[in-house]
Amino acid sequence: MELSKLPLVLLLILNIHSEHCTEIPKAKVSIKPDQHVFRGETVTLRCDIDGDGATSWKYNWYKDGLDNVFSELQEHIFSPVTESDAGKYSCYGTEREGSRNSQLSDAVTLTVSDPKAEVRVSPQKWLSEGDPVTLICEVNGSSTGWTFSWYTVVSDYSGHYQLLSDSSRGAGGNYTVSSAALKHTGVYVCRAETDTPVIYTTFSNTQPLWVTAVIVSSGVFPPVSLIISPSRTQHFTSVSLSLSCKDQGNSDKWRVRRYTNSGQVEDCSSSLWSSKTRGSTCTNSYTSTADTGVYWCQSESGENYHPVNITVHSGVILESPVHPVTEGDTLTLRCLYPYSTPPNLRADFYKDGSLIQNQTTEMIISAVSKSHEGFYYCKHPERGESLKSWISVTGEISQISVLHTLSSVLTVCPYLLVTVVLIFKCYRMRVTSVEEEETSV
């Protein structure tokens, strides 16, 4: 009976017994290109027998400890390899012209995984106009050997992704925006591929970027505003919530969209979360915690503006402004509870985890500065605490400062003019003097 026909258990017994016989060679399994590969690659299993004098062997391959031999070649190739090919492989050899038999090799594990693309952002997903940001795409923790493509999510439910016009700029795995603009607001995904062999990943996880406007002078505003009623970022459950996009002209060209905590991108007019839609206005008559997410306005051409983070909570909420607060303005915060009359609670107020005011029905900062920017929340000893809300503070160049700068320039201009005239006169006098001297000679 051939040894290759013996049950694998008996071969293991013979293997242990032959360890004391130094003249019996041992088989060894090698896997190329690696023991851990991606689905779609070409993988080669090779069985080598150590020992002098053995020139021709018959090879027997075993997988996962099973008794049956699935191959008798020295090299067994998977092209392409699939997840079902993963397992523990061992081999055994017998001389074709001789009586020697090798020891059974040690088992070597082949792992086959589906290549997964993952995207992350650096330094953060919430940005102000002009901030730099980089989207980083990797396949199972590595960016080498892959070519990357970048997309924005048009509709998550239909799996509709739009390839970025400058997607090739991020082919190396990093898609960098040196100066973020309002139009960069959106939800991004990446995908990777290789040429040899041809392997594609699925689309990555979604990664949002939210770019907020910076007001730099009086009268300068984004092209559209997201109006929220009630006008706050935190809301109770089981109440009505209305959102609308307003601009200086025809507001019907805008639509309200949202990105939920579950990673879904939804359109107000085509989803179930809004019970009423009219033009650019969406009304949700019965809110739930699933309505928590980022809401924004999108134009007909697909540009995104004015993202606002909205949370829906069943308990205590913090009443805070929707829009960034301008330096010098007054900021008022309140702690509200849906089951008390009036809803205002006497509570403690925190900024970035530190207590800043205790036992008050409202916290007022009369002149806001950039130092007041941060995460705020309120806490009641019996009702609990609210979620955290980010309060953004934006600077504004006042008209007085502009007029002061202009007046300073106008004040200096006469002196500059007189100086230029004097220099010119001196130059003309010097030239005239030189010409007279040459004439007299």
Side-chain angles (χ1 to χ4, degrees):
M1 180 179 183
E2 294 184 25
L3 288 173
S4 61
K5 304 297 184 181
L6 289 175
L8 189 57
V9 175
L10 292 179
L11 289 175
L12 289 172
I13 294 174
L14 290 174
N15 191 36
I16 296 172
H17 176 72
S18 60
E19 287 181 356
H20 303 286
C21 304
T22 57
E23 70 277 7
I24 298 180
K26 184 172 183 178
K28 181 180 179 181
V29 174
S30 61
I31 302 178
K32 291 184 178 181
D34 197 2
Q35 289 182 227
H36 184 184
V37 295
F38 293 122
R39 168 189 46 81
E41 291 190 76
T42 297
V43 175
T44 301
L45 300 178
R46 181 179 174 88
C47 185
D48 289 298
I49 311 260
D50 296 330
D52 297 331
T55 58
S56 180
W57 293 90
K58 178 183 177 182
Y59 301 90
N60 306 282
W61 285 95
Y62 301 91
K63 179 185 177 184
D64 294 332
L66 299 178
D67 292 337
N68 59 304
V69 176
F70 70 89
S71 176
E72 295 183 350
L73 300 175
Q74 183 178 18
E75 288 188 345
H76 184 78
I77 299 175
F78 299 109
S79 183
V81 70
T82 64
E83 287 86 344
S84 63
D85 296 321
K88 293 183 178 181
Y89 289 89
S90 56
C91 67
Y92 178 85
T94 58
E95 282 186 299
R96 294 185 184 276
E97 297 180 0
S99 58
R100 288 202 304 169
N101 306 287
S102 77
Q103 299 179 51
L104 185 69
S105 71
D106 296 329
V108 178
T109 302
L110 172 65
T111 303
V112 182
S113 62
D114 196 26
K116 297 180 185 288
E118 292 187 3
V119 62
R120 54 189 173 88
V121 64
S122 178
Q124 59 187 6
K125 62 183 178 181
W126 280 97
L127 307 162
S128 297
E129 286 181 286
D131 289 346
V133 65
T134 298
L135 293 170
I136 303 164
C137 189
E138 294 178 326
V139 180
N140 295 67
S142 174
S143 60
T144 57
W146 297 89
T147 299
F148 298 87
S149 300
W150 293 89
Y151 304 79
T152 53
V153 181
V154 178
S155 175
D156 195 68
Y157 283 127
S158 62
H160 187 189
Y161 304 113
Q162 182 175 344
L163 182 68
L164 295 180
S165 59
D166 58 348
S167 175
S168 59
R169 192 162 56 86
N174 287 357
Y175 183 84
T176 300
V177 177
S178 57
S179 180
L182 296 178
K183 65 179 182 180
H184 291 121
T185 284
V187 181
Y188 296 79
V189 296
C190 66
R191 193 181 186 188
E193 63 180 276
T194 58
D195 293 331
T196 308
V198 178
I199 303 174
Y200 293 92
T201 68
T202 56
F203 287 100
S204 70
N205 57 302
T206 57
Q207 177 58 63
L209 285 184
W210 311 120
V211 185
T212 56
V214 175
I215 302 175
V216 295
S217 62
S218 298
V220 178
F221 299 99
V224 66
S225 293
L226 179 63
I227 309 302
I228 302 172
S229 180
S231 183
R232 55 177 181 250
T233 56
Q234 295 188 18
H235 298 267
F236 299 125
T237 56
S238 308
V239 297
S240 178
L241 174 63
S242 177
L243 305 100
S244 59
C245 296
K246 299 293 184 181
D247 62 5
Q248 301 300 318
N250 179 19
S251 62
D252 287 343
K253 69 179 183 180
W254 300 92
R255 60 176 178 171
V256 179
R257 308 205 77 195
R258 76 174 184 179
Y259 177 79
T260 64
N261 283 350
S262 60
Q264 301 292 329
V265 177
E266 300 173 340
D267 186 359
C268 172
S269 60
S270 61
S271 64
L272 299 176
W273 61 269
S274 176
S275 57
K276 182 179 180 182
T277 304
R278 182 176 58 83
S280 296
T281 300
C282 291
T283 302
N284 186 346
S285 59
Y286 198 81
T287 56
S288 69
T289 54
D291 295 314
T292 294
V294 177
Y295 294 70
W296 70 92
C297 296
Q298 186 178 77
S299 67
E300 292 176 334
S301 59
E303 294 180 321
N304 301 315
Y305 294 94
H306 212 304
V308 175
N309 187 36
I310 293 178
T311 58
V312 179
H313 190 48
S314 59
V316 175
I317 68 170
L318 178 71
E319 185 180 65
S320 60
V322 172
H323 307 294
V325 184
T326 304
E327 284 186 309
D329 287 353
T330 299
L331 170 65
T332 301
L333 302 177
R334 297 182 180 88
C335 200
L336 307 180
Y337 186 66
Y339 309 112
S340 63
T341 305
N344 292 39
L345 295 176
R346 182 173 292 276
D348 300 331
F349 289 84
Y350 294 80
K351 174 183 178 290
D352 297 328
S354 299
L355 179 66
I356 53 176
Q357 195 165 337
N358 63 340
Q359 291 301 297
T360 181
T361 55
E362 61 181 19
M363 191 191 78
I364 300 175
I365 301 176
S366 57
V368 173
S369 67
K370 198 67 177 177
S371 63
H372 292 113
E373 196 170 67
F375 284 100
Y376 289 78
Y377 68 96
C378 64
K379 184 176 182 179
H380 187 270
E382 297 176 359
R383 307 302 185 189
E385 65 182 56
S386 71
L387 300 174
K388 296 178 177 63
S389 283
W390 174 262
I391 304 296
S392 180
V393 179
T394 183
E396 182 175 5
I397 301 176
S398 65
Q399 294 180 353
I400 296 177
S401 299
V402 174
L403 293 175
H404 177 73
T405 303
L406 290 174
S407 63
S408 299
V409 172
L410 293 174
T411 302
V412 173
C413 281
Y415 295 100
L416 292 175
L417 182 61
V418 170
T419 301
V420 172
V421 171
L422 290 175
I423 293 174
F424 180 75
K425 279 192 170 186
C426 289
Y427 172 76
R428 291 298 304 163
M429 290 176 63
R430 181 183 177 86
V431 170
T432 303
S433 175
V434 171
E435 290 177 348
E436 291 177 350
E437 289 178 0
E438 290 178 350
T439 302
S440 61
V441 172

